[in-house]
Amino acid sequence: ESGGIGALTEEQEVEYEKIRDAAAVASVAPRRKLQSAIRGLESARANAAKVAEERKECEGRKEDAERSCVELTKRKETLEKSLESTRSELKEAETTLSVLQKTAAEYRTKRHNIETQLDGINNTLRQAKDDRRKDKEEERILNAIGALKRHFPGVKGRLVDLCRPSQQRYNLAVTVAGGKDMDAIVVDTKRTATDCIKYLRDQRIGTATFLPLDSIQVPSSESTERLRAMAENDKRYRLAADVIRVSDESNRRAVLYAVGNTAVCDSLDVAREICFQRGGGRGGHGGESIKAVTLKGAVISKAGTMTGGVTKDDVNKAGRFSDQKLEELRSQKEVLETQKENLDAEAGRGSGSHTAKAEDLRNTIGNLRNKEQYSKSDLEYTKKKLKEQISLVKSSKKTFAKLEQQTITSEEDVTEANNLVEQSRQGVRDVEEEHFAPFREETGISDLRAYDEAIGKAREDFVKKRTDIREHLAKLTAKKKYEDDKDFDTNLAKA
């Protein structure tokens, strides 16, 4: 049937096979060209895909770099503001510390001057000795000590009653060296001292100074031995502690607290020599300042202040000081003590003191310097990274522009390769058409491909069987010819 699939006779099948073989041979060159075009198309598509992937990656890098630039720019601005603020705070803290140090120095100078004046007034008042008041005060103190001893076994007594100079000539020097601590009450422990103070307050007896043996600070044995060795080489002076005898050695610690490493000198010249001249000035004795007292009562303090000598006549005359003079000294003492308290109040105590404030400022300055250094390093790093990212954005834009052009070119290559494949396919179809067209007209089968698909399996089985039969027939024909060609007579004759 014309236009249908139809069926082929055996002869037509044979002819169809021949036509197909001929068409296959004739289409070898066009098919090679087609395969080459297909490979070119695949290569063009692969290249286009590669370029598209590179373009996508480049675009991603560019966008990441642009985001990084925005973030790093904001971070740079933040760090610059922070660094500027930190430097401003640092400068302010350094200025405040400088002012505070100057104020603290002025405070120490003023306080030292007041204490020096107070020491002079107290020494003068001690030397004055109001006999009537002394007798009455002495009786009150002795009665208070007796009461304390009865209530508290740890009370030893007044230091002045527990020791005495080894020689009479040291009496005045030892009294001056011990100062007000000679009238202090010696007790065994700090706890006993606290109980005694509470007792005096509760009984309204008065006040007293206590020396608890378990907590008072005394010079180190190394410094004492060093000065004692120097004194043994120079017989003109000796340690005050070495010319004081105690009835009970357990009280020696109180003596050492009262007189420390004070040196008792034969004269004021000797005192000046050991305090100022040896070793080239103050602290000449191994770099250690010492206090010196002369036999006549003159004093050179560790700070270098000198108090005039006190003779036996001066002591006797002190009691004749007029009441007016004593009252003036006491008034001056009160004024100085008030000034000292006001000065201490201005300087502050504890966390509000000059020392504490200076320490806080030093800590603040240290922290600000660390913060400044960290911010500076971070800013430098941020600027470096920002510069890198800006450079990356620029290079990415250039690369992206190139890849966009390559994308256009690769797409054009794919289009061109695809057209070439279609042309090659058409070439194959044209060659095959030259062989199959007459056969289609002869058989009336318009679509041989549809025919092949419809009866392809059956025809393949038929062709295979036909091929097998023909091969078997060929074998039989060859065998018959072999048998026909044999010369049996000749073979028999030879036999």
Side-chain angles (χ1 to χ4, degrees):
E1 298 177 4
S2 178
I5 294 177
L8 298 177
T9 64
E10 183 177 351
E11 290 78 8
Q12 288 175 332
E13 281 286 349
V14 173
E15 183 180 0
Y16 182 47
E17 283 296 322
K18 290 179 181 180
I19 292 172
R20 286 179 64 188
D21 291 341
V25 172
S27 64
V28 167
R31 285 185 182 280
R32 282 203 194 103
K33 186 176 180 182
L34 174 61
Q35 292 301 319
S36 176
I38 291 173
R39 286 193 297 272
L41 177 60
E42 292 173 350
S43 176
R45 285 174 175 169
N47 183 61
K50 179 183 177 184
V51 171
E53 183 64 25
E54 289 178 355
R55 179 178 177 276
K56 183 178 179 181
E57 291 177 358
C58 181
E59 186 176 17
R61 288 195 301 270
K62 180 173 70 70
E63 291 175 352
D64 289 344
E66 288 172 342
R67 281 194 297 271
S68 295
C69 284
V70 173
E71 293 172 359
L72 289 170
T73 299
K74 290 181 180 178
R75 180 170 180 77
K76 180 176 77 72
E77 293 172 353
T78 301
L79 287 171
E80 286 173 342
K81 291 179 181 178
S82 175
L83 186 58
E84 182 181 356
S85 174
T86 300
R87 285 173 174 166
S88 177
E89 291 177 16
L90 179 59
K91 183 177 180 181
E92 182 180 352
E94 289 174 339
T95 301
T96 303
L97 178 60
S98 178
V99 172
L100 181 63
Q101 288 173 334
K102 183 178 179 181
T103 303
E106 293 174 352
Y107 159 76
R108 287 191 296 270
T109 300
K110 290 179 181 178
R111 199 176 193 279
H112 175 72
N113 292 337
I114 291 174
E115 287 179 339
T116 300
Q117 294 180 60
L118 283 172
D119 288 342
I121 292 173
N122 288 331
N123 190 44
T124 302
L125 291 174
R126 281 196 301 272
Q127 293 170 10
K129 292 184 180 178
D130 185 345
D131 291 337
R132 287 172 297 176
R133 182 182 176 190
K134 177 184 177 186
D135 293 341
K136 185 177 179 181
E137 184 73 12
E138 185 77 2
E139 183 180 357
R140 184 188 67 79
I141 291 173
L142 290 175
N143 291 335
I145 292 175
L148 291 173
K149 283 184 175 180
R150 287 192 298 272
H151 286 85
F152 306 101
V155 177
K156 308 287 187 178
R158 284 191 309 177
L159 180 58
V160 70
D161 298 325
L162 298 175
C163 65
R164 62 185 177 85
S166 60
Q167 298 180 34
Q168 187 176 355
R169 70 192 186 107
Y170 297 132
N171 284 0
L172 184 56
V174 168
T175 300
V176 173
K180 62 182 180 180
D181 289 326
M182 297 302 290
D183 293 325
I185 301 172
V186 179
V187 295
D188 57 353
T189 65
K190 190 175 182 179
R191 177 64 182 176
T192 300
T194 303
D195 293 339
C196 289
I197 292 171
K198 185 176 184 301
Y199 177 81
L200 292 176
R201 184 174 63 248
D202 294 341
Q203 300 299 319
R204 297 184 178 179
I205 294 176
T207 60
T209 300
F210 293 88
L211 302 180
L213 295 173
D214 66 338
S215 61
I216 53 177
Q217 301 294 318
V218 299
S220 66
S221 58
E222 291 83 4
S223 64
T224 301
E225 289 301 324
R226 183 165 59 252
L227 292 172
R228 181 177 288 122
M230 294 178 182
E232 289 177 355
N233 294 329
D234 188 344
K235 302 302 181 182
R236 297 174 301 167
Y237 71 95
R238 69 287 305 157
L239 290 179
D242 290 345
V243 299
I244 298 175
R245 294 176 181 174
V246 291
S247 56
D248 186 347
E249 280 299 317
S250 65
N251 298 323
R252 173 66 64 180
R253 188 175 180 84
V255 173
L256 291 173
Y257 171 82
V259 300
N261 284 336
T262 301
V264 176
C265 303
D266 292 344
S267 67
L268 186 59
D269 290 336
V270 175
R272 280 197 297 263
E273 180 181 344
I274 67 174
C275 288
F276 298 111
Q277 296 178 11
R278 293 190 179 182
R282 295 295 301 154
H285 282 267
E288 180 178 1
S289 298
I290 63 174
K291 176 182 177 182
V293 179
T294 68
L295 295 176
K296 291 185 178 181
V299 181
I300 300 179
S301 70
K302 286 186 177 183
T305 59
M306 298 178 65
T307 303
V310 179
T311 65
K312 196 169 186 180
D313 290 337
D314 292 330
V315 174
N316 293 332
K317 292 177 182 178
R320 296 197 294 268
F321 278 21
S322 65
D323 291 340
Q324 182 180 359
K325 179 65 176 177
L326 290 176
E327 194 60 36
E328 288 177 357
L329 287 173
R330 292 189 185 100
S331 298
Q332 186 179 356
K333 178 181 177 181
E334 289 178 0
V335 171
L336 289 172
E337 286 178 341
T338 300
Q339 290 178 357
K340 181 181 175 182
E341 289 176 0
N342 292 337
L343 193 63
D344 289 343
E346 290 177 5
R349 283 289 182 267
S351 61
S353 66
H354 285 146
T355 302
K357 289 178 180 177
E359 186 62 27
D360 288 343
L361 281 170
R362 289 189 187 96
N363 291 335
T364 299
I365 289 171
N367 292 335
L368 287 172
R369 283 175 178 165
N370 291 336
K371 183 179 179 181
E372 179 191 25
Q373 186 61 37
Y374 172 78
S375 298
K376 186 178 178 182
S377 299
D378 197 357
L379 179 59
E380 290 175 354
Y381 174 79
T382 301
K383 286 181 177 178
K384 179 182 177 183
K385 295 300 293 182
L386 179 58
K387 185 177 180 181
E388 292 175 357
Q389 293 302 310
I390 290 174
S391 177
L392 181 59
V393 169
K394 291 180 180 178
S395 62
S396 297
K397 286 182 176 179
K398 291 181 180 179
T399 304
F400 186 74
K402 291 179 181 178
L403 288 172
E404 281 190 319
Q405 185 59 44
Q406 291 179 14
T407 300
I408 295 172
T409 303
S410 63
E411 290 175 352
E412 291 175 350
D413 292 342
V414 169
T415 301
E416 184 178 346
N418 196 50
N419 292 335
L420 182 59
V421 167
E422 290 302 321
Q423 292 175 4
S424 299
R425 280 202 178 99
Q426 188 59 45
V428 172
R429 286 195 291 268
D430 290 344
V431 171
E432 289 178 343
E433 185 64 16
E434 291 179 2
H435 290 78
F436 288 127
F439 185 73
R440 280 202 306 272
E441 293 178 359
E442 178 184 342
T443 59
I445 298 176
S446 59
D447 191 349
L448 291 174
R449 290 183 183 277
Y451 171 79
D452 286 338
E453 290 174 0
I455 64 171
K457 179 61 178 172
R459 188 166 60 81
E460 286 178 3
D461 292 341
F462 167 75
V463 171
K464 185 176 184 305
K465 288 180 181 180
R466 185 183 65 184
T467 302
D468 291 341
I469 292 171
R470 285 176 177 175
E471 288 178 354
H472 184 63
L473 181 61
K475 289 179 181 178
L476 291 176
T477 302
K479 186 175 181 181
K480 179 177 180 302
K481 185 177 183 304
Y482 173 76
E483 294 295 337
D484 290 341
D485 290 343
K486 284 184 178 180
D487 189 353
F488 287 100
D489 293 336
T490 303
N491 288 336
L492 289 173
K494 288 181 179 180

